């Protein structure tokens, strides 16, 4: 019977001591290069501004571990790539643990304490696990190679949408070379490892403690039989082994040394990016510190260390670009390109021993590494890029910070500048008198309470478009009737309400936003109410997520949540069911921003409608194009509007009757798009409130005091 201690693998078997010393010298050199690279990276991050993301560090770490273990961010919308990455990732982790285990015994426990454990059953199970892990890594890498070479995915084409052919940073072919270098080096390490294992088995085929247990290394054993079948002898394997051993070993050490300098570093930066991600990324934008001289980001050193970490975490997967509505319609914006440009700029300037002059740190412009105005203003701040990024890169906050600098410098569309001036003067984007804000309520057969003068249960924050836009005013009146019908004690702020500021902040006008927010907070705090309701998702987001930073913490609901509760509680009775075939558009600020996916759909089902989802729905919903202040900026002539793109998607649904929205800006954008995209007459765009209205009968007292029943469906 074989002695269990003989069932093992002898490291450096038959190697000359000088060769072993030489290998360790190369190993220490590789580690030194690795450590220096890490030092350069950390120095780069330290040159960024402080960031308050160290809170709850243990919870953050655990959340990161769970995300990486589940691979949930990688399998979303690309399951094959996510699973292939899982094979590579988990295989690599097991191989790393295996290598660390060998080092632990060979270099620490055995020489210092005489402890051995890498033999017998443990060794056999170890060999099996590592063989399976290595095979998984190679399988995953082969799929990634196939995907890049033969699938021709647009998101893996690095040609820039914000540059012209011939520009020095248009093609970015260096990234393709880096990708292939990473794949080939990694797969060569795996393949040579298996061939080395097979060579050892053939070399020691006359040794029972090795050969009799060969199938505990199944891949190596199969290769060994193939090599022996092709005529390789034990002597030939013994002669070949040292050359292959050195090739495999030096390749592995080179791989380790290159980690901080190449794409391989995403092994660490992606994990750190996930750990330090903000739970309210994009939903709550940062306040400009009082001590900060300039607004936003002008130079690369204005970015925080976390921003710089995010730049390095990007794996160039292109999912953000694929999800971006601006990119989809041909605007000069790819969220990935913004991140990569800034990364290139940071590596060029912040990796140097001494920082260049401030003028050379400017990240705005058209030179390599800089970001153009047109690119920044193309963003709809819809969070589609942030939502899908598998490594938690925070594109939108960086873009908004760069916009803040442009706004401060007055570098914006004249029409946008005029709109901001109008809002500052009148408190709304329509330039209307504050006294007209509640003019839509004059024709109602009942009075709406002034929440400033008397207590109410629910304070309705109406918003600009719902207050002043004639088409949206019809919806606003319907919602008022619905609340009155349900017996809700509600009121308005009337002329004291100002634009909530959500889009002003995402334009980059932080000063105006703070003026609007503090004014609204002061007014709200002077009122007596239990909760706020709004029909405007943009107002909903900023009041819910950003007003707390300015001392305004309020309970607020989007109307769909309230209406669902009213119907289910019986406070609203639906007198009929609708038999419409409908689809629903998730507003960005209700859906992606605040995860309000279910309430609108539940209401639609309660109305009896047949809901058919568009391909892009829920967290993958396609922006209408109004966000980030783009509703005030005309789109360039000759490119498709995001709203028209969405209409084409809805038009593919056979027998569609109604395209449902639940946002005033969506109603404006999509009704215009319906007229221009060729689908007028095929289906209609309606606010969900209007469909609810069709199902309710209202008892209304007219001016003569005679009660009549008005069915809004007539």
């Amino acid at each position: 019977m074989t002695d269990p201690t003989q069932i093992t693998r002898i490291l450096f078997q038959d190697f000359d001591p000088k060769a072993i010393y030489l290998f360790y010298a190369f190993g220490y050199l590789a580690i030194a290069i690795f450590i220096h690279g890490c030092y350069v990276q950390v120095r780069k991050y330290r040159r960024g501004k402080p960031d308050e993301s160290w809170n709850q560090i243990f919870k953050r770490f655990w959340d990161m571990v769970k995300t990486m273990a589940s691979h949930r961010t990688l399998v979303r919308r690309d399951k094959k790539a996510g699973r292939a990455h899982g094979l590579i990732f988990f295989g690599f982790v097991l191989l790393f643990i295996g290598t660390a285990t060998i080092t632990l015994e060979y270099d620490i426990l055995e020489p210092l304490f005489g402890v051995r454990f890498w033999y017998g059953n443990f060794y056999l199970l170890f060999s099996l696990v590592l063989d399976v892990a290595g095979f998984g890594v190679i399988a995953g890498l082969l799929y990634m190679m196939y995907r890049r070479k033969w699938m021709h995915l647009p998101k893996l084409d690095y040609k820039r949408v914000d540059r012209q052919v011939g520009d020095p940073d248009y093609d970015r072919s260096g990234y393709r070379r880096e990708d292939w270098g990473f794949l080939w080096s990694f797969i060569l390490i795996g393949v040579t490892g298996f061939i080395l294992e097979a060579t050892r088995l053939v070399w020691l085929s006359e040794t029972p403690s090795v050969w009799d247990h060969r199938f505990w290394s199944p891949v190596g054993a199969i290769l060994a039989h193939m090599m022996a079948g092709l005529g390789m002898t034990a002597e030939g394997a013994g002669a070949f082994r040292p050359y292959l051993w050195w090739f495999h070993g030096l390749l592995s050490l080179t791989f380790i040394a290159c980690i901080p300098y190449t794409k391989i570093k995403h092994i660490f930066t992606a994990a750190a990016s996930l750990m330090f991600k903000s739970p309210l990324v994009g939903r709550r934008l940062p306040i400009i510190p009082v001590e900060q001289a300039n607004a936003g980001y002008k130079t690369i050193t204005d970015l925080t260390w976390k921003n710089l970490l995010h730049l390095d975490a990007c794996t160039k997967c292109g999912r953000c670009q694929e999800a971006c509505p601006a990119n989809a319609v041909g605007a000069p914006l790819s969220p990935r390109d913004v991140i990569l440009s800034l990364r290139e700029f940071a590596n060029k300037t912040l990796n140097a021993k001494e920082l260049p002059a401030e003028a050379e740190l400017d990240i705005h412009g058209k030179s390599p590494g800089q970001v153009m105005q047109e690119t920044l203003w193309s963003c709809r701040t819809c969070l589609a890029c942030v939502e899908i990024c598998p490594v938690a890169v925070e594109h939108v906050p960086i873009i908004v910070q760069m916009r803040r600098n442009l706004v401060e410098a007055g570098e914006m569309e004249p029409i946008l500048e005029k709109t901001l001036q109008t809002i500052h003067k009148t408190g709304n984007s329509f330039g209307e008198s504050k006294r007209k804000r509640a003019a839509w309520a004059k024709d109602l057969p009942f009075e709406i309470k002034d929440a400033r003068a008397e207590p109410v249960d629910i304070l309705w924050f109406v918003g600009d478009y719902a207050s002043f836009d004639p088409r949206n005013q019809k919806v606003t009146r319907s919602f008022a009737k619905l609340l009155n019908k349900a017996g809700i004690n509600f009121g308005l702020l009337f002329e004291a309400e100002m634009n909530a500021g959500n889009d002003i902040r995402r334009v980059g006008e932080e000063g105006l936003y703070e003026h609007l927010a503090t004014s609204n907070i002061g007014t709200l705090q002077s009122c007596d109410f239990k909760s706020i309701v709004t029909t405007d998702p943009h107002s909903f987001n900023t009041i819910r997520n950003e007003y707390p930073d300015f001392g305004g913490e309020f309970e607020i609901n989007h109307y769909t949540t309230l209406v669902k509760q009213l119907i289910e509680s019986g406070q609203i009775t639906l007198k009929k069911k609708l038999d419409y075939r409908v689809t629903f558009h998730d507003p960005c600020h209700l859906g992606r921003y605040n995860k309000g996916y279910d309430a609108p759909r539940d209401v639609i089902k309660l109305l009896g409608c047949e809901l058919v989802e568009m391909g892009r729905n829920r967290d993958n919903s396609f922006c209408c194009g109004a966000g980030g202040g783009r509703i005030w900026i005309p789109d360039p002539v000759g490119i498709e509007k995001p709203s028209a793109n969405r209409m084409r998607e809805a038009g593919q649904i056979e027998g569609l009757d109604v395209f449902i929205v639940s946002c005033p800006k969506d109603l404006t954008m999509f009704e215009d798009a319906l007229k221009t995209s060729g689908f007028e007459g095929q289906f209609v765009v309606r606010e969900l409130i209007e469909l609810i209205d069709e199902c309710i009968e209202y008892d209304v007292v007219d001016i003569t005091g005679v009660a009549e029943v008005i069915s809004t469906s007539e």
Side-chain angles (χ1 to χ4, degrees), residues 29 131 354 358 552 641 685:
L29 177 62
D131 251 41
E354 300 294 333
E358 184 170 336
K641 297 177 184 291
V685 176

Side-chain angles (χ1 to χ4, degrees), residues 188 190 401 655 680 703:
L188 277 174
Q401 289 278 26
E680 193 169 21
I703 58 173

Side-chain angles (χ1 to χ4, degrees), residues 260-281:
Y261 309 93
T262 64
K263 180 177 181 174
I264 313 170
K265 69 182 172 186
H266 84 272
I267 298 169
F268 302 103
T269 55
S273 180
L274 286 165
M275 186 168 75
F276 289 114
K277 71 176 181 179
S278 168
L280 289 173
V281 55

Side-chain angles (χ1 to χ4, degrees), residues 400-687:
V400 171
Q401 289 278 26
M402 295 183 72
R403 281 181 170 184
R404 286 176 176 177
N405 188 260
L406 292 178
V407 169
E408 184 176 63
E411 297 177 359
M412 65 184 107
E413 291 274 354
I415 191 170
L416 174 60
E417 186 173 17
K418 184 178 179 181
T419 300
L420 295 176
Q421 292 169 350
T422 297
I423 294 171
H424 186 270
K425 181 180 179 181
T426 65
N428 65 81
S429 57
F430 287 80
E432 295 285 358
S433 167
K434 296 178 180 180
R435 287 174 292 183
K436 293 183 179 180
R437 183 169 279 276
W440 56 266
K442 289 182 179 178
D443 295 333
L444 292 173
F446 54 86
E447 288 190 6
I448 298 179
K449 292 182 178 181
D450 187 336
R452 299 168 297 171
E454 56 184 313
V456 294
D457 291 333
I458 292 180
L459 189 150
W460 178 8
F461 195 97
V462 186
D464 281 8
Y465 270 77
S467 296
F468 296 110
D469 176 61
R471 173 65 180 91
N472 274 288
Q473 285 177 337
K474 298 177 183 178
V475 178
T476 305
R477 281 190 287 271
S478 293
F479 187 61
K481 291 194 297 178
L482 186 151
L483 292 177
N484 183 67
K485 175 72 174 178
I488 301 297
N489 177 21
F490 74 99
L492 310 177
L493 295 179
F494 289 86
E495 67 271 15
E497 179 183 309
M498 301 177 75
N499 185 297
N502 183 84
D503 293 354
I504 285 87
R505 194 174 211 197
R506 279 148 188 80
V507 161
E509 216 328 345
E510 184 69 5
L512 178 55
Y513 170 76
E514 292 187 13
H515 165 68
L516 295 169
T518 53
S519 296
N520 282 324
I521 289 169
T523 303
L524 290 168
Q525 289 177 335
S526 69
C527 300
D528 186 355
F529 61 91
K530 295 178 180 177
S531 65
I532 301 173
V533 70
T534 182
T535 55
D536 177 22
H538 297 246
S539 299
F540 173 66
N541 175 72
T542 196
I543 293 173
R544 182 191 194 199
N545 296 318
E546 296 181 314
Y547 278 23
D549 276 348
F550 300 89
E553 298 219 20
F554 309 104
E555 179 185 336
I556 183 169
N557 290 300
H558 185 254
Y559 82 85
T560 52
T561 300
L562 176 62
V563 168
K564 178 189 173 185
Q565 294 171 352
L566 294 176
I567 295 175
E568 291 179 339
S569 67
Q571 287 178 264
I572 293 178
T573 302
L574 302 178
K575 297 299 184 181
K576 73 172 190 175
K577 297 285 187 179
L578 304 177
D579 60 355
Y580 299 147
R581 185 175 174 85
V582 305
T583 194
F584 177 69
H585 170 79
D586 289 278
C588 299
H589 285 79
L590 177 61
R592 263 190 302 274
Y593 270 74
N594 290 286
K595 312 305 177 189
Y597 303 119
D598 295 329
R601 288 171 170 81
D602 291 341
V603 172
I604 289 169
K605 291 174 183 176
L606 289 169
L607 298 180
C609 296
E610 177 193 359
L611 176 61
V612 181
E613 297 282 9
M614 287 177 280
R616 296 174 294 192
N617 63 79
R618 292 181 176 264
D619 58 22
N620 192 30
S621 183
F622 193 74
C623 178
C624 73
R630 288 296 312 189
I631 197 167
W632 304 316
I633 305 173
D635 289 310
V637 177
I639 71 168
E640 183 183 45
K641 297 177 184 291
S643 53
N645 184 287
R646 190 62 156 164
M647 284 292 99
R648 287 196 291 106
E649 184 176 6
Q652 296 173 7
I653 299 176
E654 187 176 349
L656 180 66
D657 296 311
V658 185
F659 181 98
I660 301 177
V661 299
S662 58
C663 169
K665 289 185 175 71
D666 283 345
L667 185 61
T668 298
M669 299 297 285
F670 287 126
E671 284 206 330
D672 288 346
L674 184 68
K675 298 170 185 175
T676 60
S677 58
F679 292 102
E680 193 169 21
Q682 182 173 326
F683 57 88
V684 296
V685 176
R686 291 289 181 268
E687 234 288 351

